[in-house]
Amino acid sequence: MAAYEQLRENILGREADGSFPLWKAVVGGLTAGAFGQFLASPTDLIKVQMQMEGRRKLEGKPPRVKGTFHAFQKILTEGGLKGLWKGWVPNVQRAALVNMGDLAT
């Protein structure tokens, strides 16, 4: 939300009459959503891994990770820093579209 406000007021700007056109709201919503999700992608990846651990437990399979910090360490060890952003593209696309719809209306 803060990214959208900054984009709207400082980069996209209002019209001379003080209005904010729909196309600028769409661009601002897309950009703010994409930026926010890109930054949050590592935590989202860890969240999904933890959710899968619950499913594995229900299926009687052994756990792959012991907790949130262990999941973070495992991702970092196996994939490096780049591994923390694995799968970021579809998440960023989804967040951009959702935020566009929320913030442009």
Side-chain angles (χ1 to χ4, degrees), residues 42-53:
T43 57
D44 192 50
L45 181 62
I46 292 167
K47 176 197 71 160
V48 169
Q49 288 227 347
M50 296 305 299
Q51 288 172 330
M52 287 305 297
E53 285 305 309

Side-chain angles (χ1 to χ4, degrees), residues 54-95:
R55 182 176 180 185
R56 288 177 62 82
K57 187 175 181 180
L58 289 174
E59 293 172 350
K61 296 178 181 175
R64 291 182 289 189
V65 293
K66 298 173 188 162
T68 305
F69 188 70
H70 184 243
F72 175 78
Q73 285 180 317
K74 185 176 178 187
I75 293 168
L76 201 55
T77 302
E78 292 176 359
L81 196 58
K82 190 177 175 182
L84 290 171
W85 275 270
K86 187 175 183 179
W88 69 272
V89 174
N91 286 335
V92 166
Q93 290 171 337
R94 176 196 49 78

